[in-house]
Amino acid sequence: MLTGGLLGGLIFGWVVADTVRGQELQLLSAYRPSTPTRLYDRNGKVFAELYRHKQDLIPYNSIPPHVVKIFLAVEDDNFYGHFGIDIPGIFRAAIKNLLAGRIVQGGSTLTQQLAKQLYLHHEGSRGRTFDQKIKESLLALQIEEELSKDEILEVFFNVIYLGHGCQGLVCASRLYFNKAVEDLTLAEASLLARLPKAPVHFSPF
């Protein structure tokens, strides 16, 4: 118990020190949205777009409340109650997975998912390592320290990958339903909220 306590204290101290330094936040400040290459005809009209990931931005106050609530219900129902890492949620997920004998629930928060997305954007297609997972957790803590909950949600809704080359709600709303985010129905928002977990498996296409 003494050894475990000492090791736990050292790890906690290292995490706190790294969080205070805020080095991982450089990933957030350095993030730039991806923009498509647009091809125009001689009259100046766009006839094609070339992109690996398409991304259009939307301010948080333009996202309907029911869309926000649906994403929180699916992704992180304790979003306003944690500090970036949901310790009770992790234990809850571990117990459910143990009882089921397989992974049926994840313990990551919405902020951790945002941090993961930023790292994937930074690292490209390289596989995730244990070191990267630690850094993602650190970045999640730093994001919670520096940004308000609404600001975190705004970044999340603009960078989250929703399948078929779409990053963010604006692109996904146009691709799947050919409408603006402001016009999404409850059913449409529910479908989009399921996509971050498995964009290919849950794709309506």
Side-chain angles (χ1 to χ4, degrees), residues 122-142:
H122 177 70
E123 299 290 341
S125 59
R126 281 185 283 176
R128 298 178 71 208
T129 63
F130 181 74
D131 180 61
Q132 184 177 320
K133 291 179 182 179
I134 294 293
K135 289 181 178 179
E136 286 174 5
S137 297
L138 287 173
L139 179 56
L141 293 173
Q142 292 161 10

Side-chain angles (χ1 to χ4, degrees), residues 25-35 53 55 57 118 121-122 158-159 167:
L25 275 177
Q26 294 173 2
L27 278 178
L28 182 59
S29 61
Y31 180 84
R32 295 292 179 272
S34 58
T35 55
H53 290 137
Q55 183 177 22
L57 306 181
L118 292 172
H121 183 273
H122 177 70
N158 281 297
V159 307
Q167 276 191 278

Side-chain angles (χ1 to χ4, degrees), residues 75-158:
E75 295 294 325
D76 188 354
D77 59 0
N78 190 35
F79 176 69
Y80 287 98
H82 63 65
F83 54 89
I85 298 175
D86 188 3
I87 304 299
I90 292 173
F91 281 107
R92 212 165 36 241
I95 292 171
K96 288 186 177 181
N97 294 336
L98 187 63
L99 292 175
R102 59 188 177 90
I103 297 177
V104 295
Q105 182 176 330
S108 64
T109 65
L110 184 145
T111 315
Q112 286 176 289
Q113 292 184 52
L114 171 58
K116 175 185 174 182
Q117 194 71 37
L118 292 172
Y119 261 103
L120 289 176
H121 183 273
H122 177 70
E123 299 290 341
S125 59
R126 281 185 283 176
R128 298 178 71 208
T129 63
F130 181 74
D131 180 61
Q132 184 177 320
K133 291 179 182 179
I134 294 293
K135 289 181 178 179
E136 286 174 5
S137 297
L138 287 173
L139 179 56
L141 293 173
Q142 292 161 10
I143 289 172
E144 289 275 352
E145 183 72 20
E146 294 294 326
L147 303 180
S148 69
K149 290 290 188 178
D150 288 351
E151 288 172 334
I152 292 171
L153 285 173
E154 179 171 306
V155 179
F156 173 83
F157 283 123
N158 281 297

Side-chain angles (χ1 to χ4, degrees), residues 12-48:
F12 180 75
W14 173 72
V15 169
V16 170
D18 216 23
T19 302
V20 171
R21 285 199 299 271
Q23 294 174 348
E24 304 304 328
L25 275 177
Q26 294 173 2
L27 278 178
L28 182 59
S29 61
Y31 180 84
R32 295 292 179 272
S34 58
T35 55
T37 298
R38 294 184 171 91
L39 305 182
Y40 298 84
D41 63 18
R42 66 172 123 188
N43 298 315
K45 184 178 180 181
V46 177
F47 69 87

Side-chain angles (χ1 to χ4, degrees), residues 58-73 80 150 153 157 169 181-186 189-190 193:
I58 185 172
Y60 176 73
N61 56 17
S62 295
I63 303 172
H66 70 271
V67 175
V68 176
K69 289 177 182 178
I70 287 171
F71 267 84
L72 290 180
Y80 287 98
D150 288 351
L153 285 173
F157 283 123
L169 271 182
V181 173
E182 294 87 342
D183 299 325
L184 288 172
T185 65
L186 284 168
S190 298

